Amino acid sequence: MLKFIEDELEGIKREGLHRSLRCVEGHQGARITLDGKECINLCSNNYLGLANNPQLKKAAIEAIQKYGSGSGASRLVCGSLKLHHELENRLAKFKKHEAALVFNSGYVANLGIITALVGPGDIVLSDKLNHASIIDGILLSRAEFKRYPHKDMQALQRFLEGAKDYKRRLIVTDTVFSMDGDIAPLSDIVGLAKKFDAMVMVDEAHATGVFGETSSGIVEHFGLKDEIDIEMGTLSKAVGCFGGYVSGKKKLIEYMINKSRPFIYTTALPPSVLASSLAAIDIIEKEAWLRKTLWSNTWFLKRGLIDLGFDLMGSESQIMPILVGDADKAVKFSRILLEEGIFIQAIRPPTVPRGRSRLRLSVMATHNKEDLKKALKVIEKIGKRIGIIS
Ligand SMILES: Cc1ncc(COP(=O)(O)O)c(C=O)c1O
């Protein structure tokens, strides 16, 4: 009966797309110990290095001592702890919105927000390179689903022109694209949304803590705070913790509490995660030097890689893809780099389109220049050896 599993696994292996788990020992840092070997970590989303910050750890420990390890129930039963409310108020202030609501991960937030907003009879216009959690949320909503080519505003306009008869129109986009590191044309999207009476939802997963005067993200960076209806983010990347959230008007949050099944039917996040997230947001807001250091490291590495001749696919952020093309070659590149002490994951289909396999490199504020210089030297050596650069 389970023969199909073996057959499918064989097929995945034949195509060079097989995946397996590695074991990280110790903490998530600029250097990590992977399967027993220490290496320079260039693939973490812990952009500000907060996942191992002493203040976050202290906050989590104190919360466990005070409130225990679990929340006991879903939010609408008896699991809505004071810490949830504190974190939501803090997030709303940080995001300069009326209110916020926490979900159990970024993935769950996208599922929960989209399925509450749209259903049969509605239409969602989604950038072709949006994150899988957005795609899954749309599929689960059973709304009509149109994917416009990446950042193609003429195509989005054409789709909107043809969408006038739907009950609701929702445009949804990553702000910083997770596998490409480029930025959505948000001002144009907002203009089109106004013209065609559509809602706009943005996913700030990779922008929060990295962009904007107070580090709140791309919406702030573009000065569009009053124009975006629904802002989603995660606590798992630059925030260094775990969980997801939505922010916006009070009525939006009240609506989510009443309509979002992935919010309603699950046990609430535990105290430790909430307390460390609160501590992280304080640090992100107050300690702008962290964001500035991240950007200094980003420019250092980006300039170095471009000078060496690598194609970074138009990266505009701390996420830098190195285009390889062939999946097997990307895996080989990653494997040899790791043998030399540099950890950068290869990203292959179905995460990215066929023929667009790449190394997805990401920078952290806690990298030091010596490690970045060493990484550049090794990437150059291996890139030449396997024919990515000449
Ligand atoms: C753009 C984007 N949205 C949402 C998510 C999901 O967030 P989380 O990892 O917190 O579930 C991710 C992370 O993988 C992401 O890259």
Side-chain angles (χ1 to χ4, degrees):
M1 195 186 136
L2 296 182
K3 176 83 172 61
F4 78 96
I5 293 179
E6 283 172 36
D7 294 344
E8 289 222 6
L9 283 172
E10 276 314 309
I12 292 170
K13 280 183 187 156
R14 261 196 314 277
E15 287 191 68
L17 300 178
H18 189 256
R19 306 171 190 221
S20 58
L21 298 173
R22 290 201 164 101
C23 180
V24 175
E25 295 152 43
H27 69 265
Q28 258 308 318
R31 281 178 170 247
I32 53 173
T33 306
L34 198 64
D35 296 323
K37 181 180 168 171
E38 197 193 52
C39 49
I40 298 171
N41 182 10
L42 282 170
C43 51
S44 178
N45 298 326
N46 174 25
Y47 302 122
L48 299 177
L50 293 178
N52 191 43
N53 179 286
Q55 284 163 262
L56 270 68
K57 290 198 270 195
K58 184 167 174 276
I61 291 163
E62 284 174 3
I64 289 176
Q65 278 162 347
K66 194 163 172 193
Y67 299 103
S69 57
S71 61
S74 66
R75 293 286 299 278
L76 285 166
V77 180
C78 66
S80 195
L81 311 178
K82 192 164 168 242
L83 282 172
H84 288 105
H85 298 269
E86 276 176 27
L87 177 58
E88 286 165 350
N89 289 337
R90 189 72 189 82
L91 279 167
K93 193 166 155 254
F94 176 51
K95 288 281 170 176
K96 298 176 186 64
H97 275 147
E98 282 179 15
L101 187 71
V102 170
F103 286 81
N104 282 12
S105 73
Y107 182 93
V108 171
N110 275 332
L111 252 52
I113 299 162
I114 295 170
T115 52
L117 290 173
V118 289
D122 303 324
I123 186 166
V124 186
L125 297 316
S126 168
D127 189 288
K128 187 99 196 294
L129 297 190
N130 276 345
H131 188 257
S133 53
I134 294 178
I135 296 167
D136 293 354
I138 301 169
L139 292 173
L140 193 61
S141 77
R142 291 178 293 137
E144 183 74 21
F145 182 9
K146 293 275 185 218
R147 300 173 86 183
Y148 55 91
H150 186 44
K151 300 200 294 189
D152 184 339
M153 293 297 100
Q154 284 175 352
L156 176 58
Q157 169 147 0
R158 276 197 304 280
F159 280 142
L160 283 163
E161 279 163 0
K164 288 183 180 141
D165 291 337
Y166 287 90
K167 226 168 32 196
R168 293 177 207 151
R169 286 156 291 283
L170 172 66
I171 306 171
V172 55
T173 185
D174 285 12
T175 54
V176 171
F177 289 89
S178 57
M179 295 297 141
D180 291 62
D182 58 345
I183 297 173
L186 263 201
S187 304
D188 295 342
I189 290 174
V190 164
L192 285 172
K194 276 192 182 147
K195 189 167 166 197
F196 291 95
D197 189 25
M199 302 175 275
V200 181
M201 169 180 167
V202 296
D203 178 333
E204 288 268 61
H206 297 277
T208 305
V210 180
F211 285 88
E213 186 81 10
T214 65
S215 309
S216 91
I218 284 287
V219 176
E220 181 187 31
H221 174 77
F222 284 140
L224 292 170
K225 270 290 163 203
D226 298 329
E227 315 287 339
I228 304 287
D229 309 300
I230 305 128
E231 207 174 310
M232 170 272 169
T234 102
L235 302 166
S236 60
K237 304 192 194 303
V239 181
C241 303
F242 187 71
Y245 57 88
V246 61
S247 62
K249 295 261 188 259
K250 276 188 182 149
K251 283 285 167 206
L252 173 78
I253 303 308
E254 186 183 340
Y255 179 78
M256 289 294 153
I257 293 170
N258 284 277
K259 294 282 282 191
S260 174
R261 292 169 62 89
F263 170 80
I264 297 169
Y265 296 107
T266 189
T267 300
L269 283 174
S272 52
V273 167
L274 303 166
S276 50
S277 298
L278 271 161
I281 292 161
D282 278 348
I283 294 175
I284 290 173
E285 239 184 15
K286 284 189 199 128
E287 303 195 28
W289 66 268
L290 270 174
R291 175 169 50 87
K292 289 178 184 156
T293 311
L294 171 66
W295 276 102
S296 153
N297 285 346
T298 297
W299 289 122
F300 180 81
L301 205 60
K302 195 170 278 195
R303 213 169 297 126
L305 290 167
I306 289 172
D307 287 349
L308 288 170
F310 287 105
D311 179 353
L312 301 190
M313 305 178 71
S315 159
E316 299 171 89
S317 68
Q318 76 286 7
I319 300 169
M320 293 173 228
I322 298 181
L323 183 63
V324 176
D326 178 64
D328 280 339
K329 209 169 184 179
V331 172
K332 185 174 170 194
F333 197 177
S334 170
R335 181 176 44 76
I336 305 176
L337 285 173
L338 188 56
E339 283 163 12
E340 303 258 354
I342 312 293
F343 184 32
I344 314 175
Q345 276 288 14
I347 309 289
R348 298 163 283 167
T351 308
V352 293
R354 269 176 203 281
R356 307 284 285 169
S357 290
R358 64 199 69 174
L359 299 190
R360 178 192 181 272
L361 188 153
S362 53
V363 189
M364 294 168 60
T366 44
H367 282 122
N368 62 49
K369 290 282 189 308
E370 286 318 303
D371 275 358
L372 294 180
K373 275 184 204 157
K374 180 174 172 207
L376 274 173
K377 276 214 169 68
V378 178
I379 296 168
E380 177 185 16
K381 184 175 81 178
I382 312 303
K384 280 182 178 158
R385 193 192 302 166
I386 64 170
I388 310 290
I389 49 168
S390 48

PDB file of all heavy atoms in Angstrom, residues 129-155:
ATOM      1  N   LEU A 129       5.974  35.190  -7.217  1.00  0.00           N
ATOM      2  CA  LEU A 129       7.036  34.710  -6.325  1.00  0.00           C
ATOM      3  C   LEU A 129       6.668  34.820  -4.838  1.00  0.00           C
ATOM      4  O   LEU A 129       7.543  34.736  -3.979  1.00  0.00           O
ATOM      5  CB  LEU A 129       8.349  35.451  -6.610  1.00  0.00           C
ATOM      6  CG  LEU A 129       8.948  35.241  -8.001  1.00  0.00           C
ATOM      7  CD1 LEU A 129      10.357  35.822  -8.068  1.00  0.00           C
ATOM      8  CD2 LEU A 129       8.993  33.771  -8.401  1.00  0.00           C
ATOM      9  N   ASN A 130       5.380  35.020  -4.560  1.00  0.00           N
ATOM     10  CA  ASN A 130       4.989  35.078  -3.138  1.00  0.00           C
ATOM     11  C   ASN A 130       5.308  33.777  -2.407  1.00  0.00           C
ATOM     12  O   ASN A 130       5.359  32.699  -3.018  1.00  0.00           O
ATOM     13  CB  ASN A 130       3.479  35.361  -3.029  1.00  0.00           C
ATOM     14  CG  ASN A 130       3.161  36.836  -3.120  1.00  0.00           C
ATOM     15  OD1 ASN A 130       4.047  37.680  -2.985  1.00  0.00           O
ATOM     16  ND2 ASN A 130       1.909  37.163  -3.345  1.00  0.00           N
ATOM     17  N   HIS A 131       5.446  33.896  -1.097  1.00  0.00           N
ATOM     18  CA  HIS A 131       5.806  32.743  -0.264  1.00  0.00           C
ATOM     19  C   HIS A 131       4.718  31.657  -0.286  1.00  0.00           C
ATOM     20  O   HIS A 131       3.531  31.948  -0.439  1.00  0.00           O
ATOM     21  CB  HIS A 131       6.020  33.222   1.183  1.00  0.00           C
ATOM     22  CG  HIS A 131       6.566  32.156   2.073  1.00  0.00           C
ATOM     23  ND1 HIS A 131       5.783  31.466   2.974  1.00  0.00           N
ATOM     24  CD2 HIS A 131       7.820  31.643   2.179  1.00  0.00           C
ATOM     25  CE1 HIS A 131       6.537  30.594   3.616  1.00  0.00           C
ATOM     26  NE2 HIS A 131       7.777  30.685   3.157  1.00  0.00           N
ATOM     27  N   ALA A 132       5.149  30.413  -0.087  1.00  0.00           N
ATOM     28  CA  ALA A 132       4.243  29.258  -0.126  1.00  0.00           C
ATOM     29  C   ALA A 132       3.062  29.405   0.830  1.00  0.00           C
ATOM     30  O   ALA A 132       1.948  28.937   0.532  1.00  0.00           O
ATOM     31  CB  ALA A 132       5.036  27.999   0.216  1.00  0.00           C
ATOM     32  N   SER A 133       3.271  30.061   1.975  1.00  0.00           N
ATOM     33  CA  SER A 133       2.170  30.189   2.941  1.00  0.00           C
ATOM     34  C   SER A 133       1.053  31.079   2.395  1.00  0.00           C
ATOM     35  O   SER A 133      -0.127  30.887   2.727  1.00  0.00           O
ATOM     36  CB  SER A 133       2.688  30.744   4.271  1.00  0.00           C
ATOM     37  OG  SER A 133       3.410  31.942   4.062  1.00  0.00           O
ATOM     38  N   ILE A 134       1.405  32.040   1.549  1.00  0.00           N
ATOM     39  CA  ILE A 134       0.384  32.883   0.912  1.00  0.00           C
ATOM     40  C   ILE A 134      -0.385  32.038  -0.101  1.00  0.00           C
ATOM     41  O   ILE A 134      -1.626  32.045  -0.137  1.00  0.00           O
ATOM     42  CB  ILE A 134       1.044  34.104   0.225  1.00  0.00           C
ATOM     43  CG1 ILE A 134       1.664  35.024   1.277  1.00  0.00           C
ATOM     44  CG2 ILE A 134       0.043  34.854  -0.647  1.00  0.00           C
ATOM     45  CD1 ILE A 134       2.392  36.234   0.721  1.00  0.00           C
ATOM     46  N   ILE A 135       0.362  31.285  -0.883  1.00  0.00           N
ATOM     47  CA  ILE A 135      -0.270  30.431  -1.902  1.00  0.00           C
ATOM     48  C   ILE A 135      -1.219  29.440  -1.224  1.00  0.00           C
ATOM     49  O   ILE A 135      -2.372  29.276  -1.631  1.00  0.00           O
ATOM     50  CB  ILE A 135       0.815  29.682  -2.708  1.00  0.00           C
ATOM     51  CG1 ILE A 135       1.661  30.705  -3.476  1.00  0.00           C
ATOM     52  CG2 ILE A 135       0.203  28.664  -3.663  1.00  0.00           C
ATOM     53  CD1 ILE A 135       2.929  30.150  -4.062  1.00  0.00           C
ATOM     54  N   ASP A 136      -0.748  28.820  -0.144  1.00  0.00           N
ATOM     55  CA  ASP A 136      -1.589  27.826   0.537  1.00  0.00           C
ATOM     56  C   ASP A 136      -2.827  28.478   1.146  1.00  0.00           C
ATOM     57  O   ASP A 136      -3.912  27.894   1.138  1.00  0.00           O
ATOM     58  CB  ASP A 136      -0.766  27.103   1.620  1.00  0.00           C
ATOM     59  CG  ASP A 136       0.337  26.250   0.993  1.00  0.00           C
ATOM     60  OD1 ASP A 136       0.373  26.134  -0.245  1.00  0.00           O
ATOM     61  OD2 ASP A 136       1.168  25.706   1.747  1.00  0.00           O
ATOM     62  N   GLY A 137      -2.678  29.691   1.652  1.00  0.00           N
ATOM     63  CA  GLY A 137      -3.827  30.418   2.206  1.00  0.00           C
ATOM     64  C   GLY A 137      -4.870  30.690   1.134  1.00  0.00           C
ATOM     65  O   GLY A 137      -6.073  30.516   1.359  1.00  0.00           O
ATOM     66  N   ILE A 138      -4.400  31.071  -0.051  1.00  0.00           N
ATOM     67  CA  ILE A 138      -5.343  31.364  -1.146  1.00  0.00           C
ATOM     68  C   ILE A 138      -6.055  30.076  -1.570  1.00  0.00           C
ATOM     69  O   ILE A 138      -7.274  30.051  -1.753  1.00  0.00           O
ATOM     70  CB  ILE A 138      -4.613  32.003  -2.347  1.00  0.00           C
ATOM     71  CG1 ILE A 138      -3.922  33.313  -1.923  1.00  0.00           C
ATOM     72  CG2 ILE A 138      -5.592  32.282  -3.483  1.00  0.00           C
ATOM     73  CD1 ILE A 138      -2.952  33.885  -2.949  1.00  0.00           C
ATOM     74  N   LEU A 139      -5.275  29.001  -1.710  1.00  0.00           N
ATOM     75  CA  LEU A 139      -5.885  27.732  -2.126  1.00  0.00           C
ATOM     76  C   LEU A 139      -6.942  27.281  -1.118  1.00  0.00           C
ATOM     77  O   LEU A 139      -8.035  26.837  -1.481  1.00  0.00           O
ATOM     78  CB  LEU A 139      -4.809  26.646  -2.288  1.00  0.00           C
ATOM     79  CG  LEU A 139      -3.829  26.868  -3.452  1.00  0.00           C
ATOM     80  CD1 LEU A 139      -2.708  25.832  -3.417  1.00  0.00           C
ATOM     81  CD2 LEU A 139      -4.546  26.814  -4.800  1.00  0.00           C
ATOM     82  N   LEU A 140      -6.612  27.439   0.166  1.00  0.00           N
ATOM     83  CA  LEU A 140      -7.538  27.022   1.218  1.00  0.00           C
ATOM     84  C   LEU A 140      -8.804  27.893   1.242  1.00  0.00           C
ATOM     85  O   LEU A 140      -9.883  27.435   1.621  1.00  0.00           O
ATOM     86  CB  LEU A 140      -6.814  27.109   2.569  1.00  0.00           C
ATOM     87  CG  LEU A 140      -7.445  26.446   3.780  1.00  0.00           C
ATOM     88  CD1 LEU A 140      -7.600  24.948   3.562  1.00  0.00           C
ATOM     89  CD2 LEU A 140      -6.571  26.690   5.021  1.00  0.00           C
ATOM     90  N   SER A 141      -8.662  29.148   0.807  1.00  0.00           N
ATOM     91  CA  SER A 141      -9.813  30.074   0.854  1.00  0.00           C
ATOM     92  C   SER A 141     -10.857  29.741  -0.206  1.00  0.00           C
ATOM     93  O   SER A 141     -12.002  30.122  -0.089  1.00  0.00           O
ATOM     94  CB  SER A 141      -9.340  31.521   0.631  1.00  0.00           C
ATOM     95  OG  SER A 141      -9.065  31.746  -0.740  1.00  0.00           O
ATOM     96  N   ARG A 142     -10.457  29.066  -1.257  1.00  0.00           N
ATOM     97  CA  ARG A 142     -11.304  28.715  -2.404  1.00  0.00           C
ATOM     98  C   ARG A 142     -11.770  29.943  -3.196  1.00  0.00           C
ATOM     99  O   ARG A 142     -12.726  29.899  -3.942  1.00  0.00           O
ATOM    100  CB  ARG A 142     -12.491  27.839  -1.982  1.00  0.00           C
ATOM    101  CG  ARG A 142     -12.022  26.435  -1.558  1.00  0.00           C
ATOM    102  CD  ARG A 142     -13.134  25.555  -1.081  1.00  0.00           C
ATOM    103  NE  ARG A 142     -13.685  26.062   0.171  1.00  0.00           N
ATOM    104  CZ  ARG A 142     -14.968  26.125   0.443  1.00  0.00           C
ATOM    105  NH1 ARG A 142     -15.864  25.730  -0.427  1.00  0.00           N
ATOM    106  NH2 ARG A 142     -15.385  26.595   1.603  1.00  0.00           N
ATOM    107  N   ALA A 143     -11.081  31.071  -3.001  1.00  0.00           N
ATOM    108  CA  ALA A 143     -11.333  32.239  -3.851  1.00  0.00           C
ATOM    109  C   ALA A 143     -10.671  31.992  -5.212  1.00  0.00           C
ATOM    110  O   ALA A 143      -9.799  31.130  -5.334  1.00  0.00           O
ATOM    111  CB  ALA A 143     -10.735  33.488  -3.209  1.00  0.00           C
ATOM    112  N   GLU A 144     -11.100  32.746  -6.230  1.00  0.00           N
ATOM    113  CA  GLU A 144     -10.422  32.679  -7.535  1.00  0.00           C
ATOM    114  C   GLU A 144      -8.972  33.148  -7.340  1.00  0.00           C
ATOM    115  O   GLU A 144      -8.722  34.119  -6.616  1.00  0.00           O
ATOM    116  CB  GLU A 144     -11.155  33.612  -8.506  1.00  0.00           C
ATOM    117  CG  GLU A 144     -10.628  33.605  -9.909  1.00  0.00           C
ATOM    118  CD  GLU A 144     -10.987  32.343 -10.688  1.00  0.00           C
ATOM    119  OE1 GLU A 144     -11.954  31.663 -10.297  1.00  0.00           O
ATOM    120  OE2 GLU A 144     -10.280  32.050 -11.672  1.00  0.00           O
ATOM    121  N   PHE A 145      -8.010  32.461  -7.961  1.00  0.00           N
ATOM    122  CA  PHE A 145      -6.598  32.704  -7.690  1.00  0.00           C
ATOM    123  C   PHE A 145      -5.885  33.082  -8.985  1.00  0.00           C
ATOM    124  O   PHE A 145      -5.829  32.286  -9.916  1.00  0.00           O
ATOM    125  CB  PHE A 145      -6.014  31.406  -7.097  1.00  0.00           C
ATOM    126  CG  PHE A 145      -4.563  31.447  -6.708  1.00  0.00           C
ATOM    127  CD1 PHE A 145      -3.824  32.619  -6.699  1.00  0.00           C
ATOM    128  CD2 PHE A 145      -3.924  30.271  -6.317  1.00  0.00           C
ATOM    129  CE1 PHE A 145      -2.488  32.631  -6.335  1.00  0.00           C
ATOM    130  CE2 PHE A 145      -2.590  30.261  -5.948  1.00  0.00           C
ATOM    131  CZ  PHE A 145      -1.873  31.449  -5.958  1.00  0.00           C
ATOM    132  N   LYS A 146      -5.392  34.307  -9.055  1.00  0.00           N
ATOM    133  CA  LYS A 146      -4.619  34.730 -10.241  1.00  0.00           C
ATOM    134  C   LYS A 146      -3.223  35.130  -9.793  1.00  0.00           C
ATOM    135  O   LYS A 146      -3.072  35.931  -8.861  1.00  0.00           O
ATOM    136  CB  LYS A 146      -5.271  35.948 -10.908  1.00  0.00           C
ATOM    137  CG  LYS A 146      -6.611  35.658 -11.537  1.00  0.00           C
ATOM    138  CD  LYS A 146      -6.436  35.106 -12.940  1.00  0.00           C
ATOM    139  CE  LYS A 146      -7.777  34.930 -13.606  1.00  0.00           C
ATOM    140  NZ  LYS A 146      -7.889  33.742 -14.426  1.00  0.00           N
ATOM    141  N   ARG A 147      -2.214  34.571 -10.476  1.00  0.00           N
ATOM    142  CA  ARG A 147      -0.825  34.933 -10.149  1.00  0.00           C
ATOM    143  C   ARG A 147      -0.307  35.854 -11.234  1.00  0.00           C
ATOM    144  O   ARG A 147      -0.276  35.456 -12.413  1.00  0.00           O
ATOM    145  CB  ARG A 147       0.038  33.668 -10.087  1.00  0.00           C
ATOM    146  CG  ARG A 147      -0.446  32.703  -9.030  1.00  0.00           C
ATOM    147  CD  ARG A 147       0.309  31.397  -9.107  1.00  0.00           C
ATOM    148  NE  ARG A 147       1.543  31.487  -8.343  1.00  0.00           N
ATOM    149  CZ  ARG A 147       2.443  30.500  -8.287  1.00  0.00           C
ATOM    150  NH1 ARG A 147       2.253  29.394  -8.966  1.00  0.00           N
ATOM    151  NH2 ARG A 147       3.524  30.647  -7.554  1.00  0.00           N
ATOM    152  N   TYR A 148       0.071  37.077 -10.875  1.00  0.00           N
ATOM    153  CA  TYR A 148       0.643  37.959 -11.892  1.00  0.00           C
ATOM    154  C   TYR A 148       2.166  37.768 -11.936  1.00  0.00           C
ATOM    155  O   TYR A 148       2.789  37.476 -10.899  1.00  0.00           O
ATOM    156  CB  TYR A 148       0.260  39.433 -11.670  1.00  0.00           C
ATOM    157  CG  TYR A 148       0.582  40.035 -10.334  1.00  0.00           C
ATOM    158  CD1 TYR A 148       1.820  40.679 -10.120  1.00  0.00           C
ATOM    159  CD2 TYR A 148      -0.322  40.007  -9.274  1.00  0.00           C
ATOM    160  CE1 TYR A 148       2.130  41.266  -8.893  1.00  0.00           C
ATOM    161  CE2 TYR A 148      -0.026  40.586  -8.047  1.00  0.00           C
ATOM    162  CZ  TYR A 148       1.202  41.207  -7.860  1.00  0.00           C
ATOM    163  OH  TYR A 148       1.505  41.781  -6.656  1.00  0.00           O
ATOM    164  N   PRO A 149       2.772  37.887 -13.151  1.00  0.00           N
ATOM    165  CA  PRO A 149       4.231  37.729 -13.241  1.00  0.00           C
ATOM    166  C   PRO A 149       4.918  38.658 -12.250  1.00  0.00           C
ATOM    167  O   PRO A 149       4.412  39.753 -11.956  1.00  0.00           O
ATOM    168  CB  PRO A 149       4.540  38.119 -14.685  1.00  0.00           C
ATOM    169  CG  PRO A 149       3.247  37.920 -15.419  1.00  0.00           C
ATOM    170  CD  PRO A 149       2.150  38.205 -14.433  1.00  0.00           C
ATOM    171  N   HIS A 150       6.052  38.221 -11.766  1.00  0.00           N
ATOM    172  CA  HIS A 150       6.760  38.900 -10.680  1.00  0.00           C
ATOM    173  C   HIS A 150       6.870  40.411 -10.905  1.00  0.00           C
ATOM    174  O   HIS A 150       7.487  40.844 -11.885  1.00  0.00           O
ATOM    175  CB  HIS A 150       8.155  38.271 -10.547  1.00  0.00           C
ATOM    176  CG  HIS A 150       8.946  38.785  -9.383  1.00  0.00           C
ATOM    177  ND1 HIS A 150       8.409  38.954  -8.129  1.00  0.00           N
ATOM    178  CD2 HIS A 150      10.250  39.168  -9.292  1.00  0.00           C
ATOM    179  CE1 HIS A 150       9.348  39.422  -7.315  1.00  0.00           C
ATOM    180  NE2 HIS A 150      10.462  39.566  -7.999  1.00  0.00           N
ATOM    181  N   LYS A 151       6.252  41.188 -10.023  1.00  0.00           N
ATOM    182  CA  LYS A 151       6.326  42.656  -9.986  1.00  0.00           C
ATOM    183  C   LYS A 151       5.810  43.329 -11.278  1.00  0.00           C
ATOM    184  O   LYS A 151       6.129  44.485 -11.528  1.00  0.00           O
ATOM    185  CB  LYS A 151       7.767  43.120  -9.693  1.00  0.00           C
ATOM    186  CG  LYS A 151       8.291  42.606  -8.369  1.00  0.00           C
ATOM    187  CD  LYS A 151       9.460  43.399  -7.839  1.00  0.00           C
ATOM    188  CE  LYS A 151      10.689  43.306  -8.653  1.00  0.00           C
ATOM    189  NZ  LYS A 151      11.863  43.917  -8.010  1.00  0.00           N
ATOM    190  N   ASP A 152       5.032  42.588 -12.077  1.00  0.00           N
ATOM    191  CA  ASP A 152       4.561  43.118 -13.364  1.00  0.00           C
ATOM    192  C   ASP A 152       3.252  43.896 -13.135  1.00  0.00           C
ATOM    193  O   ASP A 152       2.172  43.312 -13.032  1.00  0.00           O
ATOM    194  CB  ASP A 152       4.366  41.943 -14.331  1.00  0.00           C
ATOM    195  CG  ASP A 152       3.968  42.407 -15.726  1.00  0.00           C
ATOM    196  OD1 ASP A 152       3.463  43.542 -15.859  1.00  0.00           O
ATOM    197  OD2 ASP A 152       4.166  41.623 -16.668  1.00  0.00           O
ATOM    198  N   MET A 153       3.357  45.205 -13.071  1.00  0.00           N
ATOM    199  CA  MET A 153       2.204  46.037 -12.728  1.00  0.00           C
ATOM    200  C   MET A 153       1.201  46.153 -13.877  1.00  0.00           C
ATOM    201  O   MET A 153       0.016  46.364 -13.657  1.00  0.00           O
ATOM    202  CB  MET A 153       2.668  47.435 -12.287  1.00  0.00           C
ATOM    203  CG  MET A 153       3.435  47.433 -10.971  1.00  0.00           C
ATOM    204  SD  MET A 153       2.415  46.875  -9.561  1.00  0.00           S
ATOM    205  CE  MET A 153       2.920  45.184  -9.360  1.00  0.00           C
ATOM    206  N   GLN A 154       1.702  45.992 -15.122  1.00  0.00           N
ATOM    207  CA  GLN A 154       0.751  46.015 -16.246  1.00  0.00           C
ATOM    208  C   GLN A 154      -0.137  44.776 -16.207  1.00  0.00           C
ATOM    209  O   GLN A 154      -1.340  44.852 -16.440  1.00  0.00           O
ATOM    210  CB  GLN A 154       1.516  46.087 -17.569  1.00  0.00           C
ATOM    211  CG  GLN A 154       2.040  47.491 -17.800  1.00  0.00           C
ATOM    212  CD  GLN A 154       2.911  47.595 -19.028  1.00  0.00           C
ATOM    213  OE1 GLN A 154       3.256  46.590 -19.650  1.00  0.00           O
ATOM    214  NE2 GLN A 154       3.288  48.807 -19.355  1.00  0.00           N
ATOM    215  N   ALA A 155       0.492  43.634 -15.876  1.00  0.00           N
ATOM    216  CA  ALA A 155      -0.291  42.396 -15.770  1.00  0.00           C
ATOM    217  C   ALA A 155      -1.282  42.501 -14.609  1.00  0.00           C
ATOM    218  O   ALA A 155      -2.446  42.110 -14.735  1.00  0.00           O
ATOM    219  CB  ALA A 155       0.641  41.210 -15.557  1.00  0.00           C
TER     220      ALA A 155
END
